[in-house]
Amino acid sequence: MRRADRLFLIIHALRGRRTALAARGLAETLGVSLRTVYRDVADLQSSGVPIEGEAGVGYVLRKGADIPPLMFSAEELEALVVGTRFVKAFAGARLHQGAQAALLKIEAVLPADLKHRAMRSRIFAPADWNEARSGLIDRLHGAIAAQQVLRVDYRDEAGRSSLREVEPLCLAFWGGVWTLGSWCRLRVGFRTFRPDRIVTFEPTGETFVETPERGMAAYVRAMGGDGDGLDL
């Protein structure tokens, strides 16, 4: 078992207890030695987790301590959000409902700042395509998150090449192809590009700020969707 998983399970085991939990019981549950439990608890305490108790007596969380039950990083939370979006989009009705329920539970326990960061992910389906495996989708996703203006060498369906500066807004996976939604400065309008037709791209060093006229909601409306319903 990974150390990070052990630390999470220790906190989870102590949540809501009115009596001390013996270190030996934790060791048996986790399948580790008593010494490992003592060391893990000491590390949690030094990190600010309000665990009270000592070896030979047992451990409890300090009364009134507010420890979120989900100890995830922002990247891990975003992965959960993207995963539930995939299930909702491509699985049956049962898993759709299960994914929605799971997402509501995640939202309910997150601190406001982590909830905002996780829920505004601009990836709407899992990265499981050639462009994703090559790292292209990750790089484009990073540019979207950082609001970087990109200089793109793009070839259309007929093979014609053009150089453009774009403001990337979102990625979408359509079951067979990825698309990149952007504001194209060359065409002075919204355009959707296929990453597999991008020859090269690089950040210009400039960042952009989304506006009501050139942001994500406006892009969705321009593509025929209801931008007012987006949770951005």
Side-chain angles (χ1 to χ4, degrees), residues 14-95:
L14 295 177
R15 282 185 60 84
R17 290 187 61 89
R18 297 182 179 179
T19 59
L21 179 59
R24 185 171 300 279
L26 280 172
E28 292 175 355
T29 299
L30 299 174
V32 296
S33 67
L34 275 173
R35 184 175 180 178
T36 297
V37 170
Y38 296 151
R39 184 174 62 246
D40 287 347
V41 170
D43 288 343
L44 287 168
Q45 291 172 325
S46 65
S47 298
V49 178
I51 297 175
E52 296 180 340
E54 57 184 311
V57 177
Y59 301 102
V60 294
L61 280 175
R62 184 183 308 139
K63 187 176 181 180
D66 183 17
I67 302 296
L70 296 179
M71 303 289 283
F72 296 127
S73 68
E75 291 75 17
E76 289 168 338
L77 288 168
E78 187 175 11
L80 291 173
V81 171
V82 172
T84 56
R85 289 177 178 174
F86 177 82
V87 172
K88 288 169 63 179
F90 299 107
R94 180 179 177 182
L95 285 180

Side-chain angles (χ1 to χ4, degrees), residues 2 7-8 15 24-25 31 34 44 58 61-62 68-69 78 89 96 131 144 146 148 174 191-192 211-212 225 228:
R2 295 184 310 162
L7 297 181
F8 170 79
R15 282 185 60 84
R24 185 171 300 279
L34 275 173
L44 287 168
L61 280 175
R62 184 183 308 139
E78 187 175 11
H96 178 111
E131 295 84 357
I144 292 169
Q148 296 175 327
W174 302 95
R191 292 293 186 273
T192 299
T211 66
D228 293 331

Side-chain angles (χ1 to χ4, degrees), residues 5-231:
D5 294 331
R6 288 202 316 272
L7 297 181
F8 170 79
L9 289 173
I10 289 172
I11 294 174
H12 183 72
L14 295 177
R15 282 185 60 84
R17 290 187 61 89
R18 297 182 179 179
T19 59
L21 179 59
R24 185 171 300 279
L26 280 172
E28 292 175 355
T29 299
L30 299 174
V32 296
S33 67
L34 275 173
R35 184 175 180 178
T36 297
V37 170
Y38 296 151
R39 184 174 62 246
D40 287 347
V41 170
D43 288 343
L44 287 168
Q45 291 172 325
S46 65
S47 298
V49 178
I51 297 175
E52 296 180 340
E54 57 184 311
V57 177
Y59 301 102
V60 294
L61 280 175
R62 184 183 308 139
K63 187 176 181 180
D66 183 17
I67 302 296
L70 296 179
M71 303 289 283
F72 296 127
S73 68
E75 291 75 17
E76 289 168 338
L77 288 168
E78 187 175 11
L80 291 173
V81 171
V82 172
T84 56
R85 289 177 178 174
F86 177 82
V87 172
K88 288 169 63 179
F90 299 107
R94 180 179 177 182
L95 285 180
H96 178 111
Q97 294 172 359
Q100 182 63 34
L103 196 56
L104 289 174
K105 290 177 181 178
I106 293 170
E107 290 182 47
V109 298
L110 289 183
D113 58 333
L114 282 180
K115 176 180 177 180
H116 177 72
R117 289 183 61 184
M119 297 306 297
R120 72 184 300 271
S121 172
R122 295 294 178 81
I123 293 184
F124 297 104
D128 188 21
W129 203 245
N130 291 333
E131 295 84 357
R133 291 193 292 269
S134 70
L136 177 58
I137 296 302
D138 285 339
R139 292 167 56 209
L140 290 173
H141 183 205
I144 292 169
Q147 295 184 303
Q148 296 175 327
V149 178
L150 300 178
R151 183 175 296 108
V152 176
D153 181 357
Y154 188 74
R155 291 184 180 176
D156 63 17
E157 186 176 4
R160 294 182 295 264
S161 180
S162 61
L163 291 175
R164 304 163 183 248
E165 286 192 0
V166 303
E167 300 172 9
L169 298 171
C170 68
L171 284 161
F173 184 67
W174 302 95
V177 64
W178 281 97
T179 57
L180 174 69
S182 305
W183 174 268
C184 178
R185 292 183 172 182
L186 177 66
R187 304 303 184 195
V188 194
F190 293 112
R191 292 293 186 273
T192 299
F193 303 99
R194 285 181 47 166
D196 61 340
R197 293 178 181 165
I198 294 177
V199 180
T200 61
F201 78 90
E202 60 181 8
T204 63
E206 179 186 357
T207 58
F208 66 94
V209 176
E210 290 191 40
T211 66
E213 297 77 21
R214 289 168 57 168
M216 180 64 185
Y219 168 78
V220 173
R221 286 194 296 270
M223 297 299 110
D226 180 9
D228 293 331
L230 289 175
D231 182 15

